[in-house]
């Protein structure tokens, strides 16, 4: 007696696939349902033919495609976010004697490294884990079937080559992606930086870089069946926690990122050994100095905070150095931060480099130790002190047109903000709080600025974005006190000192 297999439909569908058809596909097959499904699909196809062609069934409307990238629209499936890449009909070659090539293209020219990390890191991770890995498993399954049929002429394992192309403006992201822990010898990853087409004329450096159109010409295997392209980020691709996570007390560390990707990044960039940094008797404080905006000014002396902090920090038993990232390459920035124990700075993209702080979260025996009774080293867990102004953040600043805000005005603005719910407002712009929570090994401490200076952005002052200010006035005494707490208690951070809701109540 044979058992008839019931065909099952995929649980995922293209964005344009009607809900009625999805519901039909999930039901058991039968003559009535098959006929209804055929009718539904015919309606869908007819609509696509008359409105945008079959190509838009798998990608967004070509009318919204960037004009400078129209040459690539027939070479790549256009996706609007990482969650939609699963709908791209990618496939691996059936010929088991050769490898398969897949392509993931990010055409954004985002220069802000925080935005690169916040939005695009998870996009690539989703593409690899959600699309490429399943295709790799599919290739292995096909090869197993090929051998089971008695064909043993080719016993080599099938390899999938993933080519990631990013704009050279996103060099920081490229460094991170090159260190992605693929976890399989059957998956080969390469990252290529290209010159945006529009910047080639008159660009003296363009000769040392390739353009996207040149990459497509050099890779004829890039087709809509093997290539996915993102032209902008999607909010759903955020790598770190959201305010809902903290409201639900979901502070779980991203173990993949902490245990696999971060160590791979340190090895790839040849950053200093953890033991040499974590076991210092004199922890190193790296002060991130800004030059043109959000310059930290000491409230008592009205001098730059770095000038006031240096001697006082050294008296606490730290070493102290200040640095500006202006003009430094991403690799130079990474190496500076990776050699520090504490990073101090005003809210800004440069603090994204805190992911390079060493993981000194637990004591370890010396690497050359062979005795179980060897005394463990005392490690100083890494920390970041952010001078933040997020409690003055509001998309619509109600009522006030005062160009200078003291702390009282900032907090009143925050409390009266009509844009968002209370919990959303509390965690808005808490970006490095979220980053530290995701990493799990960087202690986060926050010092709220006392006042901010002149508005330095476009538009009238009452439409001010709090980030667009020339100076932030801060009480250096608070920074010194937090450094003292960090050294006295290795468990000290924003979580250990007070609950999140209690923190809000003390403001």
């Amino acid at each position: 007696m044979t058992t008839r297999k019931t065909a099952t439909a995929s649980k995922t569908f293209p964005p344009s696939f009607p809900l009625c058809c999805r519901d039909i596909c999930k039901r058991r097959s039968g003559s009535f349902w098959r006929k209804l499904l055929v009718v539904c699909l015919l309606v869908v196809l007819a609509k696509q033919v008359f409105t945008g062609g079959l190509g838009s069934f798998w990608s967004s409307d070509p009318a919204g495609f960037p004009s400078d990238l129209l040459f690539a629209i027939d070479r790549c499936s256009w996706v609007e976010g990482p969650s939609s890449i699963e709908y791209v009909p990618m496939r691996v070659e059936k010929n088991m004697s050769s490898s398969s090539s897949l392509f993931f293209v990010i055409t954004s020219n985002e220069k802000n490294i925080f935005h690169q990390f916040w939005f695009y890191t998870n996009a690539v991770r989703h593409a690899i884990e959600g699309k490429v890995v399943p295709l790799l498993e599919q290739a292995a399954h096909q090869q197993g079937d090929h051998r089971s049929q008695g064909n043993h002429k080719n016993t080599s394992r099938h390899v999938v080559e993933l080519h990631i192309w990013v704009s050279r403006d996103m060099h920081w992201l490229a460094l991170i992606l090159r260190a992605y822990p693929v976890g399989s010898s059957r998956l080969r990853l390469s990252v290529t930086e290209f010159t945006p087409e529009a910047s080639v004329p008159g660009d003296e450096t363009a000769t040392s870089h390739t353009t996207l159109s040149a990459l497509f010409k050099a890779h004829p295997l890039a087709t809509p069946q093997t290539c996915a392209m993102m032209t902008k980020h999607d909010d759903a691709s955020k790598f770190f926690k959201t305010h809902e996570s903290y409201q639900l007390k979901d502070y779980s560390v991203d173990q993949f990122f902490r245990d696999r990707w971060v160590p791979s990044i340190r090895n790839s960039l040849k950053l200093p050994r953890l033991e040499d940094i974590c076991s210092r008797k004199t922890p190193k404080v790296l002060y991130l100095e800004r030059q043109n905006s959000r310059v930290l000014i000491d409230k008592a002396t009205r001098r730059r905070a770095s000038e006031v902090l240096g001697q006082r920090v050294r008296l606490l038993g730290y070493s102290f150095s200040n640095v500006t990232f202006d003009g430094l390459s991403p690799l130079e920035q990474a190496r500076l931060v990776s050699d520090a124990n504490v990073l101090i700075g005003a809210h800004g993209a440069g603090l994204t480099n805190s992911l390079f702080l060493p993981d000194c979260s637990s004591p370890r025996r010396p690497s050359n130790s062979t005795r179980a009774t060897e005394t463990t080293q005392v490690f100083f867990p890494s920390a970041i002190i952010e001078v933040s102004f997020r409690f003055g953040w509001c998309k619509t600043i109600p009522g006030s047109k005062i160009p200078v805000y003291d702390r009282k005005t900032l907090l009143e603005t925050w409390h009266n903000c009509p844009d968002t719910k209370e919990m959303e407002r509390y965690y808005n712009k808490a970006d490095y709080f979220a980053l530290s929570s995701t990493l799990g090994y960087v202690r986060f401490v926050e010092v709220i600025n006392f006042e901010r200076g002149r508005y330095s952005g476009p538009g009238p002052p009452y439409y001010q974005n709090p980030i667009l200010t020339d100076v932030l006035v801060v009480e250096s005494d608070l920074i010194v006190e937090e450094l003292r707490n960090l050294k006295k208690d290795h468990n000290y951070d924003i979580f250990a000192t007070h609950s999140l809701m209690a923190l809000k109540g003390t403001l």
Side-chain angles (χ1 to χ4, degrees):
M1 179 178 178
T2 59
T3 303
R4 185 176 64 181
K5 294 183 179 180
T6 302
T8 56
S10 172
K11 293 183 180 180
T12 58
F13 306 91
S16 57
F17 206 76
L19 292 176
C20 62
C21 293
R22 302 183 194 193
D23 184 61
I24 295 170
C25 287
K26 292 177 181 179
R27 297 176 182 272
R28 291 186 176 274
S29 60
S31 59
F32 170 77
W33 293 111
R34 283 198 296 268
K35 291 177 182 178
L36 189 58
L37 179 59
V38 169
V39 172
C40 183
L41 291 176
L42 286 175
V43 172
V44 173
L45 292 175
K47 179 182 176 182
Q48 291 299 131
V49 169
F50 286 108
T51 58
L54 294 177
S56 61
F57 185 77
W58 293 109
S59 60
S60 301
D61 185 358
F65 200 80
S67 58
D68 61 332
L69 296 173
L70 287 177
F71 67 88
I73 198 166
D74 294 327
R75 298 291 307 275
C76 232
S77 293
W78 182 25
V79 297
E80 293 195 70
S83 58
S84 58
I85 192 174
E86 61 190 90
Y87 303 124
V88 176
M90 284 184 169
R91 62 169 182 258
V92 294
E93 300 294 336
K94 293 182 179 180
N95 182 5
M96 292 296 106
S97 63
S98 63
S99 62
S100 298
S101 294
L102 299 176
F103 303 84
F104 187 54
V105 185
I106 301 176
T107 63
S108 171
N109 298 327
E110 178 61 68
K111 294 181 174 62
N112 184 300
I113 65 172
F114 173 73
H115 293 163
Q116 291 179 30
F117 197 29
W118 181 266
F119 293 111
Y120 295 100
T121 304
N122 199 44
V124 173
R125 178 180 176 182
H126 183 90
I128 294 176
E129 303 301 326
K131 193 69 180 183
V132 177
V133 170
L135 287 175
L136 188 65
E137 295 171 351
Q138 175 187 338
H141 181 70
Q142 290 177 354
Q143 190 172 28
D145 291 344
H146 189 65
R147 291 176 179 173
S148 65
Q149 295 173 4
N151 190 338
H152 301 283
K153 292 182 179 179
N154 185 358
T155 59
S156 61
R157 296 201 306 168
H158 189 66
V159 174
V160 173
E161 297 179 353
L162 176 61
H163 304 269
I164 301 177
W165 300 342
V166 299
S167 166
R168 70 175 185 182
D169 291 329
M170 301 173 75
H171 177 61
W172 191 93
L173 177 65
L175 292 178
I176 303 300
L177 298 183
R178 289 191 178 101
Y180 189 89
V182 294
S184 172
S185 60
R186 297 173 56 218
L187 175 59
R188 298 173 184 170
L189 184 149
S190 66
V191 180
T192 302
E193 299 172 54
F194 62 85
T195 301
E197 308 290 324
S199 63
V200 173
D203 186 350
E204 297 178 356
T205 64
T207 55
S208 61
H209 297 79
T210 187
T211 62
L212 189 57
S213 57
L215 283 174
F216 277 115
K217 290 179 181 178
H219 292 81
L221 294 178
T223 68
Q225 286 72 44
T226 62
C227 179
M229 175 186 291
M230 284 184 65
T231 59
K232 60 181 180 180
H233 72 70
D234 185 281
D235 284 346
S237 65
K238 289 179 180 179
F239 186 82
F240 308 117
K241 304 294 189 297
T242 62
H243 62 273
E244 290 92 348
S245 301
Y246 296 102
Q247 188 174 6
L248 298 172
K249 299 188 182 302
D250 175 19
Y251 312 137
S252 57
V253 174
D254 190 299
Q255 296 295 340
F256 173 85
F257 189 69
R258 172 179 176 169
D259 298 337
R260 294 183 56 192
W261 202 342
V262 169
S264 180
I265 291 172
R266 295 193 69 88
N267 291 333
S268 175
L269 301 184
K270 296 180 172 57
L271 300 181
R273 289 192 335 135
L274 293 178
E275 289 181 1
D276 296 338
I277 305 167
C278 299
S279 60
R280 284 177 177 146
K281 294 182 178 179
T282 304
K284 182 176 182 179
V285 171
L286 184 67
Y287 180 94
L288 180 53
E289 185 91 72
R290 298 182 65 93
Q291 296 296 322
N292 302 314
S293 66
R294 281 165 273 156
V295 177
L296 295 183
I297 301 297
D298 176 57
K299 177 177 178 291
T301 64
R302 294 290 161 168
R303 295 163 55 198
R304 282 183 176 253
S306 57
E307 298 175 2
V308 176
L309 287 172
Q311 183 60 29
R312 297 185 64 184
V313 170
R314 293 185 183 97
L315 290 175
L316 293 177
Y318 291 94
S319 65
F320 180 87
S321 61
N322 63 315
V323 64
T324 176
F325 283 166
D326 293 349
L328 296 184
S329 70
L331 182 56
E332 291 172 323
Q333 296 177 33
R335 286 177 174 164
L336 281 171
V337 175
S338 69
D339 193 43
N341 300 97
V342 181
L343 180 64
I344 301 176
H347 178 94
L351 294 183
T352 311
N353 288 293
S354 60
L355 80 96
F356 299 118
L357 286 169
D359 183 356
C360 306
S361 55
S362 60
R364 307 169 189 175
R365 293 190 184 90
S367 58
N368 58 355
S369 173
T370 58
R371 293 179 296 174
T373 57
E374 183 78 43
T375 303
T376 57
Q377 296 171 311
V378 177
F379 280 3
F380 180 93
S382 299
I384 175 176
I385 299 179
E386 176 189 1
V387 179
S388 168
F389 47 83
R390 65 188 174 94
F391 292 99
W393 186 274
C394 184
K395 294 179 181 178
T396 302
I397 298 182
S400 177
K401 297 184 180 181
I402 303 173
V404 178
Y405 288 81
D406 59 18
R407 184 175 296 181
K408 180 176 181 294
T409 308
L410 285 172
L411 297 180
E412 286 178 353
T413 299
W414 178 78
H415 279 292
N416 297 325
C417 181
D419 292 333
T420 56
K421 298 178 181 178
E422 181 177 349
M423 290 302 295
E424 294 177 357
R425 185 167 70 248
Y426 180 66
Y427 293 106
N428 193 25
K429 305 306 294 181
D431 304 320
Y432 302 104
F433 176 33
L435 172 56
S436 299
S437 301
T438 299
L439 292 173
Y441 59 83
V442 176
R443 295 183 286 169
F444 178 82
V445 173
E446 183 176 26
V447 173
I448 307 297
N449 71 297
F450 185 81
E451 68 183 60
R452 58 191 177 91
R454 295 168 298 180
Y455 176 60
S456 60
Y462 51 87
Y463 288 130
Q464 292 181 32
N465 179 334
I467 206 170
L468 301 174
T469 181
D470 57 351
V471 300
L472 290 173
V473 180
V474 65
E475 293 180 282
S476 298
D477 289 347
L478 295 178
I479 297 178
V480 172
E481 181 62 27
E482 296 292 18
L483 284 170
R484 181 180 290 109
N485 292 333
L486 287 170
K487 194 169 186 184
K488 181 172 63 176
D489 181 1
H490 286 186
N491 293 316
Y492 182 88
D493 63 4
I494 194 171
F495 292 102
T497 53
H498 31 232
S499 70
L500 302 180
M501 293 306 295
L503 172 63
K504 187 188 71 171
T506 61
L507 298 174

